Amino acid sequence: MLRSITCAASIWALTLGLASAKVQYGGVNIAGFDFGCVISGSCDTSDVVPPLREYKGQDGAAQMQHFVTNNRLNAFRLPVGWQYLVDEPGSPLIPEHIEAFDALVQACLATESLCIIDIHNYARWDGLIVGQGGPTDEQFASLWSQLATKYARSPNVAMGIVNEPHDMPSITRWAQTCQTVVNAIREAGAAENMILLPGNGYTNAADFVSSGSAAALARVKDVDGTTDKLMFEVHKYLDEDNSGTHIECVSSYVDTFEDLTQWLKDNGRRALLAEVGGGPYQKSCLRDVCELLTYLNDNGDVYAGYLGWGAGSFDETYELSLSPNGTEDVPLMTECFAKVFDGGSGEAPVSGNASTSDQSFSNSTLPEPAAESSGSGGNEAEYRHQRTLLGKTLAQATLVRAMLAQKLLAQELLAQKTLVQKILVQETLIREALAQGIRAQKTLAQETMAWETLAQGTLAQATLVQAMLAQAVLAQAMLAQEMPAQLILAQRFLAQKLLAQGLLAQEVLAQTPSALETQAQETLAREMLAQKLPAREI
């Protein structure tokens, strides 16, 4: 009975205020597919660093499993650039890119967490505002329609319409764009997926009401007229200018949330703090971030949760990095996000069809609880105990799979290393052989010159001398750098002429060395004249 109610009503009972005050979701942004995107809505896709080991990035899959197992978190936001997914507004998804991004989504779903797809483009494409001079609402909705079609059977996938709209000429017009996107998502078959609505001014929580964002977006409805599955997305950084570019926190800014908190209570709506962060080691942030998260916990009836910025392809040099170093977390994670969240309200995200490609670890394997006996909650407690044990087992199984993948990768690297070593050995042997060949040529040239002198009076060696003479001339041209260039050329031309004319060795040997040189010079002169060389070169 408990499981059937959870699957049917899903997470949305919380939006009606039926849960405890504690927030439902605590998590982290897993960045990398958004690298290269700037506030103009331009994205240099060459800067993308997929947070996946198989794509040579940080191991985002292992990070998410670590956060779930070690820190009891249950939500991850997955930013990606619009330009990374399509070539131009309204065009189909790029197959190889959506395949890579889907690998991260599936790794998230494998942890049975909430997985938020975030289009990290600031409501723009290359500087032009969606629906207000830039891409049309329909072009933007085309992107979401394709994503919704792909993840319609994965209710744990939430749709974050876009990251941080800002400087919007009309917030009312932006609300119309959001309505078009909501309709497209539902028409694609994604009926149960949460949709997050961002406001103007970088969707800053402090200004969400005063900017008119709350009132405008409140008019966005689901296709059935309800708002239960529509949630507001807000952000807040605790540095001096809300930019998230400084490691020191200056305040918890709890007071700036008061207007939004009261508006949400008055209107029966909920919000998710999708980005919050500070320096991971700074005492000021350990104080202020913890204070803000505690405030959100205390108002869990209107705040669904919070997600820290950020992990994924960020390494330890990034000023706001929450990425673990192996199994070791930064203090901001352990002292604030993990400790304050402490597993959340206990209401798990939607399970069932957790992943469209891997159903082996879905909650469909959980045992149904036995009917409760009257006046006793023992059976339900036992069921929760069994569910906890099974969750730990599934987490361990996922970790084992990750370890096996790492082992295979190590073996592949070792094999590549062996191949490289073999190539280096072969290269060394080739160099040595070439060196020996050069030395052999030099020796051959020297021996040939000696044989030429000995053979001048020997008719029987004339044929050998004639052949060796041609080789000696070529070798001398390469090795005897002190020999005048004219004499080298003369000997080469003479050898070619003698061989071509088929002179007998006796005729060659009968001539004196001076006669040979004279003949060579004459031959050279004739050749140069035939090639019309300048006189100074002759």
Side-chain angles (χ1 to χ4, degrees), residues 6-35:
T6 302
C7 290
S10 72
I11 57 176
W12 307 115
L14 293 179
T15 62
L16 302 177
L18 302 180
S20 63
K22 200 170 187 181
V23 300
Q24 181 184 2
Y25 298 114
V28 184
N29 284 262
I30 306 298
F33 280 106
D34 59 311
F35 284 8

Side-chain angles (χ1 to χ4, degrees), residues 160-219:
I161 289 182
V162 80
N163 179 68
E164 295 186 348
H166 64 89
D167 301 296
M168 307 295 282
S170 171
I171 186 60
T172 302
R173 182 66 185 84
W174 170 243
Q176 294 174 6
T177 299
C178 291
Q179 183 67 69
T180 302
V181 172
V182 169
N183 295 345
I185 290 173
R186 298 306 185 213
E187 289 169 4
E192 299 298 324
N193 303 72
M194 179 197 299
I195 301 176
L196 300 177
L197 308 175
N200 200 5
Y202 300 93
T203 202
N204 183 4
D207 305 325
F208 202 80
V209 176
S210 61
S211 68
S213 295
L217 294 173
R219 292 192 287 270

Side-chain angles (χ1 to χ4, degrees), residues 6-300:
T6 302
C7 290
S10 72
I11 57 176
W12 307 115
L14 293 179
T15 62
L16 302 177
L18 302 180
S20 63
K22 200 170 187 181
V23 300
Q24 181 184 2
Y25 298 114
V28 184
N29 284 262
I30 306 298
F33 280 106
D34 59 311
F35 284 8
C37 293
V38 294
I39 62 173
S40 66
S42 298
C43 295
D44 184 351
T45 57
S46 65
D47 290 338
V48 168
V49 182
L52 293 163
R53 179 67 61 82
E54 58 267 37
Y55 289 93
K56 313 303 181 185
Q58 298 289 332
D59 195 346
Q63 288 181 12
M64 289 186 284
Q65 188 59 61
H66 167 86
F67 288 133
V68 170
T69 305
N70 291 37
N71 305 114
R72 301 176 66 201
L73 302 182
N74 64 354
F76 301 100
R77 184 168 176 255
L78 314 176
V80 61
W82 189 359
Q83 287 90 334
Y84 181 80
L85 294 176
V86 298
D87 288 322
E88 58 185 19
S91 64
L93 297 173
I94 301 171
E96 57 270 26
H97 287 182
I98 188 60
E99 179 182 1
F101 182 67
D102 181 60
L104 184 64
V105 175
Q106 298 303 328
C108 178
L109 290 173
T111 68
E112 299 189 351
S113 300
L114 181 71
C115 306
I116 305 169
I117 297 176
D118 158 54
I119 303 302
H120 214 73
N121 275 72
Y122 305 88
R124 287 161 167 76
W125 176 286
D126 293 343
L128 301 177
I129 301 174
V130 177
Q132 302 184 52
T136 65
D137 290 352
E138 290 71 24
Q139 286 175 320
F140 188 43
S142 169
L143 170 69
W144 274 112
S145 179
Q146 295 178 76
L147 292 171
T149 299
K150 186 173 183 64
Y151 297 110
R153 295 179 57 240
S154 300
N156 273 14
V157 172
M159 316 290 187
I161 289 182
V162 80
N163 179 68
E164 295 186 348
H166 64 89
D167 301 296
M168 307 295 282
S170 171
I171 186 60
T172 302
R173 182 66 185 84
W174 170 243
Q176 294 174 6
T177 299
C178 291
Q179 183 67 69
T180 302
V181 172
V182 169
N183 295 345
I185 290 173
R186 298 306 185 213
E187 289 169 4
E192 299 298 324
N193 303 72
M194 179 197 299
I195 301 176
L196 300 177
L197 308 175
N200 200 5
Y202 300 93
T203 202
N204 183 4
D207 305 325
F208 202 80
V209 176
S210 61
S211 68
S213 295
L217 294 173
R219 292 192 287 270
V220 178
K221 307 293 183 181
D222 224 326
V223 292
D224 60 0
T226 65
T227 58
D228 293 350
K229 300 171 189 175
L230 305 181
M231 194 175 296
F232 301 124
E233 176 180 329
V234 295
H235 295 182
K236 187 62 187 174
Y237 288 93
L238 308 187
D239 54 0
E240 61 190 38
D241 55 2
N242 190 45
S243 65
T245 59
H246 308 90
I247 60 174
E248 291 292 343
C249 296
V250 298
S251 170
S252 67
Y253 291 103
V254 164
D255 58 324
T256 67
F257 277 76
E258 292 294 346
D259 285 347
L260 176 58
T261 302
Q262 191 59 51
W263 188 94
L264 292 170
K265 291 178 183 290
D266 291 345
N267 290 272
R269 300 297 297 269
R270 303 190 79 214
L272 177 75
L273 184 61
E275 287 188 24
V276 60
Y281 298 96
Q282 276 58 40
K283 291 182 178 179
S284 61
C285 293
L286 293 176
R287 177 195 66 231
D288 293 339
V289 172
C290 286
E291 183 178 339
L292 175 58
L293 300 188
T294 299
Y295 171 83
L296 298 177
N297 262 357
D298 293 341
N299 291 276

